[in-house]
Amino acid sequence: MKKLIAGNWKMNGLAAAAAEIEALGAKLTEADRAKADVLVCPPATLVSVLEPKARAAGIALGGQDCHEKECGAHTGCISAEMLADAGATYVIVGHSERRADFGETDAAVKAKAEAAQRAGLMPIVCVGETRDEREAGRAEAVVRGQLEGSLPEGEFVVAYEPVWAIGTGLVPEEADIAAMHRLMREVAGPGVRLLYGGSVKPANAKAILGLDDVDGALVGGASLKAEDFYGIISAA
Ligand code: PGA
């Protein structure tokens, strides 16, 4: 399967960040593009700003969240249709920061994933256990439950992001990543792209991306600078 290397800029980036998209586009070779699809999920305010440069560079754009409804009285929210209209083709749903900060349940995440599909966006559904859950030996049960509760029918991407590995520099043992991806393959089925996320850096990307059933990466901090993000893309 062709890899998907996705950057999640989180709440980082002003209009000047267009320079990073341009710089990344300048580094990408034909061989890179043949091996990996490249996606950047900037803050929603930047999707239409970055769209011309991203299109020219062959880089896809995505949102970081969407509302389940198409429109209406939901102050401050952004619909999947709005993201698509701005030039996005993907949207992340159920990131652990949204699950933790906004109390998003599996059912809410599934509704958002379905909204993404309705708007013609590819949802990237995030799952992952906390440190306590892993230490209690419950990681696989927790992730299985999240998958069963949040995956829609139809087409989607899944990202396994252990909460304790996000932004910490900690990464699970390779055997643990592989085991979780085996489980995700069993639940999600063949043909579904399964990403790993959590402290992916240029230095560890090759080993992680070389594991069975790891079809790409969801990258936070290391996606903000074109040089680091390119280091991960070229490892694919
Ligand atoms: P990180 O974030 O790469 O900074 O650990 C990953 C994510 O939250 O998607």
Side-chain angles (χ1 to χ4, degrees):
M1 208 179 313
K2 190 173 179 186
K3 303 276 194 227
L4 172 63
I5 308 298
N8 172 12
W9 283 8
K10 308 193 179 184
M11 198 172 74
N12 298 290
L14 301 173
E20 294 299 328
I21 297 289
E22 222 166 10
L24 181 61
K27 289 175 186 291
L28 287 171
T29 65
E30 284 312 309
D32 296 328
R33 292 174 202 279
K35 293 219 172 86
D37 290 326
V38 179
L39 167 66
V40 170
C41 300
T45 48
L46 289 183
V47 174
S48 61
V49 174
L50 300 183
E51 198 276 335
K53 289 208 160 71
R55 184 159 24 93
I59 296 167
L61 292 173
Q64 299 176 6
D65 174 50
C66 66
H67 195 276
E68 66 179 84
K69 298 261 170 53
E70 183 176 348
C71 58
H74 302 285
T75 301
C77 298
I78 292 172
S79 72
E81 282 77 4
M82 291 168 180
L83 292 169
D85 185 53
T89 50
Y90 288 78
V91 61
I92 299 167
V93 294
H95 189 281
S96 65
E97 288 154 16
R98 302 234 22 124
R99 289 177 185 261
D101 294 355
F102 300 95
E104 290 186 5
T105 62
D106 288 333
V109 173
K110 182 175 182 177
K112 287 169 184 246
E114 290 169 346
Q117 293 171 332
R118 177 190 69 213
L121 300 180
M122 177 66 78
I124 301 177
V125 181
C126 300
V127 296
E129 82 284 357
T130 63
R131 175 182 289 286
D132 285 353
E133 289 164 343
R134 176 156 290 275
E135 284 174 358
R138 294 177 48 233
E140 297 202 1
V142 165
V143 168
R144 184 182 288 276
Q146 290 174 333
L147 292 169
E148 287 170 354
S150 20
L151 293 183
E153 302 285 317
E155 290 189 34
F156 53 84
V157 174
V158 188
Y160 168 54
E161 299 202 305
V163 178
W164 54 273
I166 294 175
T168 58
L170 301 172
V171 174
E173 301 287 333
E174 288 177 14
D176 290 338
I177 298 176
M180 198 62 88
H181 279 245
R182 240 184 338 267
L183 180 156
M184 296 200 293
R185 177 66 68 213
E186 181 193 313
V187 177
V192 173
R193 274 168 157 172
L194 305 177
L195 313 184
Y196 168 79
S199 297
V200 178
K201 309 284 178 214
N204 61 20
K206 202 175 167 87
I208 293 170
L209 291 167
L211 298 170
D212 284 349
D213 287 319
V214 175
D215 308 309
L218 182 54
V219 185
S223 71
L224 293 171
K225 288 276 161 243
E227 192 173 329
D228 292 340
F229 196 40
Y230 181 72
I232 294 168
I233 296 163
S234 60

